[in-house]
Every structure is written in C-alpha cells, then in structure tokens.
Amino acid sequence: MSDQVRIIRFKVADRVFHVFIMVTFLIQSVTGMGRLLYHTNWGKAVVGIFGGYEGASTVHNTVGILMIIGFVIHIIYILAKVEWKSWRKSLLDADSLVPRPADAVQFGQQIRWFFGLGPRPSFDRWTYWEKFDYWAVFWGMPLLGISGVLLMYPLAASRIMPGWVLNVMVLFHRAEALLAMLYIFIIHFTIGHLRRGMFPMNEGMFAGSVELEKEKEEKALWIARLQEEGRLEQAKVLGPAPWYRTAYFIFGYTALAVGLYLLLIIIVYRNYIEWH
Amino acid sequence: MDPRRLLRKAVLRIILGLLGAVFLWPPAASAQEEVTSSIRRYKDREVSTGYYEEHEVKPRRTRPFVQQKEVVRRYSAPVTQYRPRAAVEPSVRSRMEDSHEGIQFYELRRCEECHVEEAKHSHTVKANLTCRQCHGGEPIAGINYYYSPMNPIRRNAYVCAKCHEGASVSFATFLVHEPKAGDPATRKTFASLYYSNWFMYLLIVGTLAFFGLHTLIWVGKETYHAVSEKMKTKPEAEPPPAEKPEPKEPENE
C-alpha cells in the first residue's frame, strides 16, 4: 500500500464534510428508525438508548439542526471555492462537480459496456455516479431539512400554512429518509466497498489520496489531463500513516455495520413501517 | 377667476368622484372579516388560545377533507324511505350530542373494539394518550356537534391547546386520525396526501430500481471480467499447460 504512488483526490475540508455527514446521518437514521418503529420492541429498545421517546426526539432535532448548519456551511464553502471572475470555466471544467454533457455521454457508454456493446468508458476526475451521489444530498437535505424544521415547530409552522400541510410533511420526511437510507446502505455501500478493486474499502474519501495505477484504469482522462497540464508531479502525495489508516478502517467499518444493521431492520420490519 | 365657478367646479368633481367610487367601493357586507386571508388571519395574535366566534373563523375552508357528494345528499335529500340504520351512519353520528346513542352494550365495550384504525396513531402510540383525553367523557359528543369541544370551530382552544400551548385554528386542522395515504378513497378526501404518497413511492422505487440495477450489472460485470482475466493469465503463469484437461476426467467418471 505504501509503495504505491498516490495522488491527491480530496482535500481535508472535503473529508471533514464527509465524516460530518456520515456521523450525523447515522445518528439521524438510528433515532429516526427508533421513533418510526416505536410501536415495536426494537423501536422501544433503540429509543431507550437515548432516554426514551423524548430523548430520541431531542437528539434527532438537535442533530438535524446541526446538519442544516453543516449544509449551509458547505454551500458557503463551495461558493467561496468558485472563481467567480472566470465562473464559466470554474464551474464547467472537469475538476468541477457540476454535471456536464460529457457525463451523459459517459453514462451512455457505460450502459453500452454493461451489455457488451462497446468498450469500457474512461472517466475524468468525477464520474456521473459520483456526481449523482454528491447532488442527491442537495435534493434530500432541503426536503428533509424543511419538513423537519416545520415538524419541529408545528405551532409556528401552522401560522404560515394550514396545519394539515404537516400531515403531508410527515409523509415527505419519512419517505425521503427511507429513500436516503436505502440508497446509502445498498447502493453507496456497494460502490464504496464491493466493487472490484474497492474491496475491502474505497479509502479515497478517508485517506484523501488514491493509487495512481488504479486510477489510470478507470479515470484515464483525469490522469491524462493532469499529465498534460503538468500537474501530475505536484498531485503526488504520501500515503496515509498506519495509525490513521487503522483509525479510518475502524471508523468506516463501524459506520458500515450500523448501516447494514439498519438495512436489515428495514427489511425485517418492512410491514411495521408506516411512512404516513 | 369667479369664486362661484370655482366652487361649482369643485362640487362637480366631488360628485363625479363619488359616482366613480360607487363602482370601485367594496360592497358592504353584514359581517366582514378583519382580514381576508384564511392563512394570515390573526397572524400576530394567533399564539393566544382565544375563543373565536364562528363567523370569525372558517375552519372548514382550511380542512383538507373534501366533502363527498354522497354525504351531502344524505343530508339534503328528504327522507323518502324508511332507513332504520340511517342514525348509525358516521356522518349523522358526528353531529349527535351523544355520538354512541343507541349502541347496544356500549358501557361494556372499549373504544378500540370498534375504532380499530383510530386507536393506532402517534398520539396514542407515542404520546401515550387515551381516547378520552381528547374526546372527553360520557356522553362523547360527535366532533361536529355544535357544543362539542371537538367542533372544528373551537377544537384548537379546547382540545389541542391542553398540550400544545397556543394552538391555532390552523394548527387544529392537522389530522390526528389521518386516512391511509395509499387508500384509493384518500384521493377524494385528502388529495394532496394521496398524490404526495404516489410521488414519493415512485421516486423511491424509481431511484432504487434504476441505481440498483445499474450497480448490480456493474459489480457483476466487473467480477466476471476479473475472473475471466485470472482464467486467462493462470495457464501462462503455470509451467505445464498440458495438464489442463486432466482434472476433467475424474469428473466424468
């Protein structure tokens, strides 16, 4: 691992944001599922960890507000990162997460490759599924955040809208939360852990750097671009320290275990989940 | 200028102005609301648990339930047939002073024996409330009975505000016993919940089906490639490639 040439992919701030959303998302998942399944023994036991239904609600609400603050900070952060003088280039070049026409083309190529109709596409720094993962948060966070805040303050909310809108908000909050959990625990985890070359774990998001040889296969356009622009040498970094690697393996696998456990619970208790 | 002409001109203008105003003036109503919006009514004072007169509030306007035509007909049409069970119909009972009047062995029964679905909701399951804490003691008045505390015109102040301090009329339109969002009947009674449910359902199924298949094919394809590459490289790495057909023989035997 340490012999491999590694190049930087995520800055410290990006990794901090990821760890932040991991921790808060899992806390919200556990407290949310516990309350959703409160009429079952499992729900009562989980809620009991947080000191009963009220306690779990307090944790859920507090962490929810933290998440919203984190999301706002992230938006300020990315807006500050854009070079507004040359915004067109800054937003639309290959180092940006903004979807480009090339993503649609690569998606088409990938589907063709799935069915043996073409060669495997080579990607740039961010692939279309990585962009989807990123932008999906921008759909889920406002929906969960707005419905959550309205439900947190129902008296104030019913002053600006009819009270029965909260019935609909409960549905939105639960359904969107289930979608987010199922997506992360099934699809995000599979892509991050089970893909070839990723097992046992795609360490990029924790280590911040990725192996150059592996990326040459999948993200050939990115490496080629780095070489062309003469930035490859300066992108090379040292691998993660052993203690740090141990720490993020423990952390990552704990998160994975919690997620898979919740997935199991969703499957087992599927008939007890009422999203409305 | 002649002051008389000036006066006449001014009077004429005032008369013309008043005539014009007749067309622009809002018509006088016998009972006008202070504000017209049903949402913003009493916005600055809504935190109080004040009692509102019926003409001041229009709770039915903010209710999501669309009244079904059948229910209306049942009421407006004169009784042409003898219908002994008419009094049992919920629409009638919801307006009775004692909503359970005439039910046999009522004293021996429990609420949830008949109101099965109504007994399962967040207020009972999560907040541990009993039916009577909101619906009151015997005789339990129908929710639309005029003097019932549950009547939408005062429900907020007399029922909700017992726990939710400062509950407004708008707040009280939250449906505690909400209909099942997936139930076809909900399309008529609570359309926004029904269509929101379908929207979220399709979103979840669509997203998971699309990306689930995408990931499944992807992982399968990559694994297949990995295995086939290993199969290709192995014979070259091993010194005797001629041994390859030999392990098949014991299988055939």
Side-chain angles (χ1 to χ4, degrees), chain B:
Chain B
M1 217 181 206
D2 182 16
R4 278 193 176 181
R5 252 184 88 183
L6 210 67
L7 188 70
R8 218 185 299 158
K9 216 175 173 182
V11 169
L12 196 69
R13 277 185 186 177
I14 289 169
I15 290 169
L16 277 175
L18 283 175
L19 275 175
V22 167
F23 294 102
L24 296 174
W25 221 259
S30 49
Q32 277 188 319
E33 277 192 83
E34 289 169 45
V35 279
T36 46
S37 163
S38 61
I39 294 171
R40 292 176 179 276
R41 184 196 295 123
Y42 297 121
K43 198 179 176 188
D44 48 345
R45 279 173 286 152
E46 200 76 303
V47 272
S48 76
T49 56
Y51 171 82
Y52 305 118
E53 292 295 331
E54 198 180 22
H55 69 269
E56 289 180 296
V57 289
K58 287 182 178 168
R60 285 181 187 85
R61 241 169 86 193
T62 57
R63 288 176 86 191
F65 274 132
V66 180
Q67 204 155 23
Q68 287 179 41
K69 275 180 186 168
E70 307 155 42
V71 179
V72 175
R73 212 184 304 127
R74 227 177 264 153
Y75 267 96
S76 55
V79 180
T80 53
Q81 276 174 282
Y82 175 54
R83 297 202 301 167
R85 292 190 62 78
V88 189
E89 283 170 10
S91 49
V92 175
R93 288 211 171 265
S94 80
R95 283 167 172 78
M96 283 161 61
E97 186 183 2
D98 178 5
S99 55
H100 299 107
E101 195 182 323
I103 292 175
Q104 283 189 318
F105 310 116
Y106 175 66
E107 295 78 8
L108 303 173
R109 291 186 165 187
R110 297 179 62 82
C111 308
E112 60 267 31
E113 284 177 25
C114 297
H115 304 284
V116 180
E117 283 305 311
E118 283 79 0
K120 290 183 250 164
H121 64 91
S122 55
H123 280 69
T124 49
V125 175
K126 290 172 182 176
N128 221 8
L129 288 184
T130 61
C131 308
R132 288 188 196 283
Q133 279 174 286
C134 296
H135 289 274
E138 293 302 332
I140 297 174
I143 52 164
N144 293 319
Y145 175 63
Y146 188 82
Y147 297 105
S148 168
M150 266 293 183
N151 191 308
I153 66 172
R154 64 179 75 83
R155 181 185 294 174
N156 63 308
Y158 281 74
V159 182
C160 305
K162 282 201 261 183
C163 298
H164 303 275
E165 196 182 340
S168 61
V169 174
S170 164
F171 180 85
T173 63
F174 178 83
L175 290 170
V176 173
H177 304 290
E178 63 176 357
K180 288 246 176 266
D183 190 350
T186 311
R187 190 169 70 86
K188 277 187 175 173
T189 57
F190 196 169
S192 50
L193 188 74
Y194 178 82
Y195 288 113
S196 303
N197 184 48
W198 265 109
F199 174 73
M200 289 313 291
Y201 184 76
L202 291 177
L203 186 75
I204 291 179
V205 171
T207 311
L208 290 180
F210 181 80
F211 282 98
L213 271 178
H214 178 269
T215 312
L216 195 72
I217 298 174
W218 191 13
V219 172
K221 179 112 181 166
E222 275 181 339
T223 315
Y224 170 77
H225 271 261
V227 172
S228 61
E229 265 172 42
K230 259 188 191 169
M231 301 260 274
K232 272 181 204 165
T233 49
K234 254 188 184 173
E236 290 169 17
E238 283 165 7
E243 283 177 28
K244 218 184 169 185
E246 278 183 18
K248 276 187 181 175
E249 287 173 21
E251 282 175 25
N252 295 337
E253 284 167 356

Side-chain angles (χ1 to χ4, degrees), chain A residues 1 6-16 18 125-126 202-211 215 222 235-241 244 248:
Chain A
M1 175 97 194
R6 298 179 73 85
I7 56 169
I8 189 150
R9 182 161 167 82
F10 295 108
K11 288 176 193 144
V12 177
D14 304 331
R15 289 184 265 158
V16 168
H18 185 252
R125 183 163 174 191
W126 310 114
N202 181 355
E203 297 171 47
M205 193 35 117
F206 296 104
S209 56
V210 283
E211 286 169 41
E215 296 308 311
W222 180 34
K236 282 178 184 168
V237 287
L238 285 172
Y244 179 59
Y248 71 63

Side-chain angles (χ1 to χ4, degrees), chain A residues 237-256:
Chain A
V237 287
L238 285 172
W243 69 266
Y244 179 59
R245 202 163 173 242
T246 314
Y248 71 63
F249 255 89
I250 292 170
F251 176 73
Y253 265 83
T254 310
L256 186 75

Side-chain angles (χ1 to χ4, degrees), chain A residues 148-258:
Chain A
V149 168
L150 290 176
L151 293 169
M152 216 186 293
Y153 302 104
L155 286 164
S158 63
R159 284 171 71 175
I160 52 170
M161 59 184 64
W164 55 262
V165 173
L166 296 179
N167 285 84
V168 183
M169 288 301 156
V170 172
L171 187 147
F172 274 139
H173 197 87
R174 290 180 180 176
E176 177 61 29
L178 278 172
L179 171 59
M181 282 191 284
L182 290 173
Y183 184 84
I184 297 292
F185 301 156
I186 298 173
I187 290 152
H188 190 70
F189 280 4
T190 307
I191 292 177
H193 291 274
L194 285 186
R195 277 187 56 207
R196 185 195 166 201
M198 301 297 176
F199 189 83
M201 183 158 128
N202 181 355
E203 297 171 47
M205 193 35 117
F206 296 104
S209 56
V210 283
E211 286 169 41
L212 182 61
E213 286 308 311
K214 270 189 191 171
E215 296 308 311
K216 268 183 183 165
E217 270 180 42
E218 187 167 285
K219 300 197 167 91
L221 288 177
W222 180 34
I223 306 301
R225 199 163 50 85
L226 283 177
Q227 260 168 347
E228 229 172 73
E229 294 169 8
R231 291 195 288 146
L232 190 60
E233 282 308 311
Q234 100 191 45
K236 282 178 184 168
V237 287
L238 285 172
W243 69 266
Y244 179 59
R245 202 163 173 242
T246 314
Y248 71 63
F249 255 89
I250 292 170
F251 176 73
Y253 265 83
T254 310
L256 186 75
V258 173

Side-chain angles (χ1 to χ4, degrees), chain A residues 36-108:
Chain A
L36 185 64
L37 291 170
Y38 188 65
H39 54 291
T40 65
N41 285 337
W42 183 85
K44 283 198 178 69
V46 166
V47 157
I49 299 170
F50 300 91
Y53 192 85
E54 291 292 315
S57 298
T58 310
V59 173
H60 196 81
N61 294 357
T62 314
V63 176
I65 287 171
L66 276 179
M67 269 182 120
I68 293 170
I69 293 170
F71 187 59
V72 170
I73 290 174
H74 181 73
I75 290 173
I76 295 168
Y77 167 76
I78 55 170
L79 288 178
K81 280 279 158 190
V82 176
E83 284 167 24
W84 289 104
K85 278 180 188 167
S86 53
W87 65 273
R88 203 175 283 270
K89 188 194 166 293
S90 179
L91 284 179
L92 299 178
D93 80 349
D95 273 325
S96 158
L97 277 162
V98 176
R100 307 187 305 154
D103 293 320
V105 174
Q106 284 164 0
F107 171 67

